[in-house]
Short mmCIF file of all heavy atoms in Angstrom, two decimals:
data_model
loop_
_atom_site.label_atom_id
_atom_site.label_comp_id
_atom_site.label_asym_id
_atom_site.label_seq_id
_atom_site.Cartn_x
_atom_site.Cartn_y
_atom_site.Cartn_z
N SER A 69 -9.78 0.89 -10.90
CA SER A 69 -8.87 1.05 -12.04
C SER A 69 -9.48 1.89 -13.16
O SER A 69 -8.77 2.38 -14.04
CB SER A 69 -8.46 -0.32 -12.59
OG SER A 69 -9.56 -0.99 -13.17
N LYS A 70 -10.79 2.07 -13.11
CA LYS A 70 -11.47 2.87 -14.13
C LYS A 70 -11.50 4.36 -13.79
O LYS A 70 -11.89 5.18 -14.62
CB LYS A 70 -12.90 2.36 -14.34
CG LYS A 70 -12.97 0.99 -15.00
CD LYS A 70 -14.41 0.55 -15.19
CE LYS A 70 -14.52 -0.72 -16.02
NZ LYS A 70 -13.92 -1.89 -15.37
N LEU A 71 -11.09 4.71 -12.57
CA LEU A 71 -11.08 6.11 -12.17
C LEU A 71 -9.93 6.84 -12.84
O LEU A 71 -8.82 6.32 -12.94
CB LEU A 71 -10.98 6.23 -10.64
CG LEU A 71 -12.14 5.65 -9.85
CD1 LEU A 71 -11.87 5.76 -8.36
CD2 LEU A 71 -13.46 6.34 -10.20
N LYS A 72 -10.18 8.05 -13.26
CA LYS A 72 -9.17 8.83 -13.99
C LYS A 72 -8.04 9.26 -13.07
O LYS A 72 -8.27 9.72 -11.94
CB LYS A 72 -9.84 10.05 -14.63
CG LYS A 72 -8.93 10.83 -15.55
CD LYS A 72 -9.68 11.98 -16.21
CE LYS A 72 -8.77 12.76 -17.15
NZ LYS A 72 -9.50 13.88 -17.80
N ASN A 73 -6.81 9.10 -13.54
CA ASN A 73 -5.61 9.54 -12.81
C ASN A 73 -5.49 8.89 -11.44
O ASN A 73 -5.08 9.54 -10.46
CB ASN A 73 -5.58 11.07 -12.68
CG ASN A 73 -5.55 11.77 -14.02
OD1 ASN A 73 -4.88 11.31 -14.95
ND2 ASN A 73 -6.27 12.86 -14.14
N PHE A 74 -5.86 7.64 -11.36
CA PHE A 74 -5.79 6.92 -10.09
C PHE A 74 -5.12 5.58 -10.35
O PHE A 74 -5.50 4.83 -11.25
CB PHE A 74 -7.20 6.70 -9.52
CG PHE A 74 -7.20 6.23 -8.08
CD1 PHE A 74 -6.99 7.12 -7.06
CD2 PHE A 74 -7.44 4.90 -7.78
CE1 PHE A 74 -6.99 6.71 -5.73
CE2 PHE A 74 -7.46 4.48 -6.46
CZ PHE A 74 -7.24 5.38 -5.43
N SER A 75 -4.08 5.29 -9.55
CA SER A 75 -3.32 4.06 -9.70
C SER A 75 -3.71 3.07 -8.61
O SER A 75 -3.68 3.41 -7.43
CB SER A 75 -1.82 4.36 -9.63
OG SER A 75 -1.06 3.18 -9.70
N VAL A 76 -4.08 1.87 -9.01
CA VAL A 76 -4.52 0.87 -8.04
C VAL A 76 -3.63 -0.37 -8.14
O VAL A 76 -3.27 -0.82 -9.22
CB VAL A 76 -6.01 0.50 -8.25
CG1 VAL A 76 -6.27 -0.04 -9.63
CG2 VAL A 76 -6.47 -0.50 -7.20
N GLY A 77 -3.24 -0.86 -6.98
CA GLY A 77 -2.45 -2.08 -6.91
C GLY A 77 -3.15 -3.13 -6.07
O GLY A 77 -4.17 -2.85 -5.43
N ALA A 78 -2.60 -4.32 -6.09
CA ALA A 78 -3.18 -5.43 -5.33
C ALA A 78 -2.23 -5.83 -4.21
O ALA A 78 -1.03 -6.04 -4.44
CB ALA A 78 -3.43 -6.63 -6.24
N GLY A 79 -2.75 -5.91 -3.00
CA GLY A 79 -1.95 -6.28 -1.84
C GLY A 79 -2.41 -7.58 -1.21
O GLY A 79 -3.47 -8.12 -1.56
N THR A 80 -1.61 -8.06 -0.26
CA THR A 80 -1.85 -9.34 0.39
C THR A 80 -1.96 -10.46 -0.65
O THR A 80 -2.79 -11.36 -0.54
CB THR A 80 -3.11 -9.31 1.30
OG1 THR A 80 -3.21 -8.03 1.94
CG2 THR A 80 -3.00 -10.37 2.39
N ILE A 81 -1.13 -10.37 -1.68
CA ILE A 81 -1.12 -11.38 -2.73
C ILE A 81 -0.26 -12.56 -2.27
O ILE A 81 0.91 -12.39 -1.95
CB ILE A 81 -0.57 -10.80 -4.05
CG1 ILE A 81 -1.51 -9.73 -4.60
CG2 ILE A 81 -0.32 -11.90 -5.07
CD1 ILE A 81 -2.87 -10.26 -5.03
N THR A 82 -0.86 -13.73 -2.25
CA THR A 82 -0.16 -14.91 -1.74
C THR A 82 -0.09 -16.05 -2.75
O THR A 82 0.42 -17.12 -2.42
CB THR A 82 -0.85 -15.43 -0.45
OG1 THR A 82 -2.23 -15.73 -0.74
CG2 THR A 82 -0.78 -14.38 0.66
N SER A 83 -0.60 -15.84 -3.96
CA SER A 83 -0.57 -16.91 -4.96
C SER A 83 -0.53 -16.32 -6.36
O SER A 83 -0.91 -15.16 -6.58
CB SER A 83 -1.80 -17.81 -4.83
OG SER A 83 -2.97 -17.12 -5.24
N LEU A 84 -0.09 -17.13 -7.30
CA LEU A 84 -0.09 -16.72 -8.71
C LEU A 84 -1.51 -16.48 -9.20
O LEU A 84 -1.75 -15.57 -10.01
CB LEU A 84 0.57 -17.79 -9.57
CG LEU A 84 2.10 -17.85 -9.54
CD1 LEU A 84 2.59 -19.07 -10.32
CD2 LEU A 84 2.70 -16.57 -10.10
N GLU A 85 -2.44 -17.29 -8.74
CA GLU A 85 -3.83 -17.14 -9.16
C GLU A 85 -4.36 -15.76 -8.78
O GLU A 85 -5.00 -15.07 -9.58
CB GLU A 85 -4.70 -18.24 -8.55
CG GLU A 85 -4.44 -19.63 -9.09
CD GLU A 85 -3.16 -20.26 -8.55
OE1 GLU A 85 -2.64 -19.79 -7.52
OE2 GLU A 85 -2.66 -21.24 -9.17
N GLN A 86 -4.12 -15.35 -7.53
CA GLN A 86 -4.55 -14.03 -7.10
C GLN A 86 -3.87 -12.94 -7.92
O GLN A 86 -4.51 -11.97 -8.36
CB GLN A 86 -4.19 -13.82 -5.62
CG GLN A 86 -5.12 -14.49 -4.64
CD GLN A 86 -4.69 -14.20 -3.21
OE1 GLN A 86 -3.53 -13.93 -2.94
NE2 GLN A 86 -5.64 -14.29 -2.29
#
Side-chain angles (χ1 to χ4, degrees):
S69 67
K70 291 181 172 65
L71 296 177
K72 187 176 181 180
N73 299 322
F74 192 78
S75 177
V76 59
T80 323
I81 293 295
T82 58
S83 70
L84 283 173
E85 290 76 18
Q86 282 181 335

